[in-house]
Amino acid sequence: MKLILFSGDHPRHLFVNKKVLEFFDDIFVIVMQREELLPKPPNELDNHDKELFQLHFENRYRVESSFYGDLNAHEVFKNFNSIFIKPKELNTELVADKVKKFDANFCFIFGVNLILDPVIDALPVDKINLHLGLSPWYKGGATLFWPFYHLEPQFCGSTFHQITKQADAGEIIHQCVPELLSGDTLHDVGARCVVKARDEISKIFAHWKRVRKFDGQVQRASGRNWREEDFHASQLRVIYDLYQDKMVDSYLSGELSNRKPKLISCIT
């Protein structure tokens, strides 16, 4: 079976996509360069928000290194037919031509920008994206941060869905959430979301190899599409100043809303 894999180059993407490689015989990988893992704080921030910004991303780097290890895209994909691209090269005729020539049976996507024309039309029928966020509540970007900002860490999870030309709007195939443990920080939960999603992948591919299709659920609610510009470092005050990054403990003790997400799955 032939797989075309679109992967980001961050450790979380490589951690999951290493698992994906196990399920197919013939694989073509398109690796997109992502932003810096440790971004610099914007100059216009005051000193306190700059400190929170740095703390937030340093914590993420430390936690993800602990969960995923030291992964390098060139090393992970060295034995596979692959190309490395920059974001502006993703939706180009060059990539579309390579996709057409490879003629895959299945496409899996984790960690790249929105795939549009001419590439999307060259992909096979089943083109499944792993979105770190529970659609339709949390679509777009930073969707493992926003549940914490809204005091509902139980809404941190992952959505496997068919891709469309709209972000995170395709039919939902499967959703999962990690167990929340006492002492978990925001980034612990984010990393557990990734680990949980990786562990669910075998179910996704076993179902597809058995029936060769997904009867996904159409997203009827529009939800919220979170954009990069929606995030501001001042919002980190909720996490670190108000809750000292112990919001999971507050949730587990009953101090926060116990509203639960209704998860969707078409996997049998």
Side-chain angles (χ1 to χ4, degrees):
M1 302 301 295
K2 299 178 71 174
L3 166 75
I4 186 161
L5 173 64
F6 287 84
S7 177
D9 63 358
H10 282 176
R12 69 182 76 99
H13 309 136
L14 304 176
F15 179 78
V16 169
N17 288 332
K18 275 183 64 178
K19 184 70 174 178
V20 174
L21 298 173
E22 299 175 8
F23 295 92
F24 292 85
D25 304 315
D26 194 359
I27 301 169
F28 177 49
V29 187
I30 299 170
V31 187
M32 192 193 83
Q33 182 183 34
R34 294 295 303 255
E35 69 281 0
E36 293 293 328
L37 280 169
L38 290 170
K40 295 180 180 179
N43 290 328
E44 68 272 12
L45 298 180
D46 64 28
N47 288 336
H48 181 61
D49 286 343
K50 280 185 179 179
E51 290 174 0
L52 291 181
F53 186 97
Q54 290 174 317
L55 174 67
H56 180 71
F57 287 102
E58 286 171 0
N59 283 351
R60 185 183 71 172
Y61 186 86
R62 174 180 51 79
V63 169
E64 293 195 350
S65 295
S66 174
F67 272 82
Y68 314 140
D70 183 19
L71 296 175
N72 176 277
H74 289 277
E75 183 65 23
V76 169
F77 300 123
K78 67 180 180 180
N79 295 323
F80 298 90
N81 183 12
S82 58
I83 60 171
F84 288 74
I85 62 171
K86 295 181 178 179
K88 66 181 180 180
E89 299 172 308
L90 176 62
N91 294 301
T92 60
E93 290 290 351
L94 172 66
V95 173
D97 287 344
K98 289 184 178 296
V99 169
K100 289 176 185 176
K101 289 177 182 177
F102 187 69
D103 193 24
N105 307 104
F106 193 96
C107 175
F108 190 81
I109 304 143
F110 181 41
V112 303
N113 293 345
L114 188 64
I115 297 175
L116 300 170
D117 293 329
V119 177
I120 192 170
D121 290 334
L123 296 175
V125 171
D126 288 310
K127 34 193 178 287
I128 304 302
N129 179 62
L130 169 54
H131 167 60
L132 295 181
L134 289 181
S135 296
W137 301 283
Y138 293 102
K139 298 188 290 187
T143 42
L144 298 181
F145 164 77
W146 294 113
F148 275 78
Y149 182 72
H150 290 110
L151 310 186
E152 48 184 19
Q154 70 275 24
F155 273 75
C156 283
S158 302
T159 301
F160 295 86
H161 65 89
Q162 299 277 9
I163 66 166
T164 66
K165 295 175 185 179
Q166 289 76 44
D168 308 319
E171 292 183 358
I172 294 175
I173 304 304
H174 186 65
Q175 293 179 314
C176 57
V177 295
E179 181 183 4
L180 299 180
L181 304 178
S182 177
D184 273 352
T185 66
L186 180 154
H187 293 304
D188 288 327
V189 176
R192 292 189 198 282
C193 284
V194 173
V195 173
K196 178 67 173 178
R198 184 202 62 170
D199 292 345
E200 298 283 286
I201 280 175
S202 59
K203 298 178 184 178
I204 305 286
F205 292 137
H207 175 95
W208 183 80
K209 288 186 176 182
R210 186 171 64 252
V211 301
R212 288 292 193 275
K213 67 174 184 176
F214 295 109
D215 294 318
Q217 181 168 313
V218 174
Q219 297 190 50
R220 303 195 183 281
S222 59
R224 172 72 184 268
N225 189 16
W226 296 91
R227 303 165 302 169
E228 182 178 344
E229 53 265 36
D230 291 326
F231 174 79
H232 189 272
S234 61
Q235 294 158 334
L236 295 172
R237 300 173 196 171
V238 174
I239 312 302
Y240 298 104
D241 291 344
L242 186 59
Y243 281 92
Q244 291 77 51
D245 207 4
K246 297 179 180 179
M247 195 179 294
V248 170
D249 287 349
S250 295
Y251 169 74
L252 293 174
S253 66
E255 297 174 27
L256 303 178
S257 169
N258 64 357
R259 183 173 76 110
K260 299 287 197 308
K262 186 177 180 180
L263 302 180
I264 297 168
S265 182
C266 74
I267 302 303
T268 57

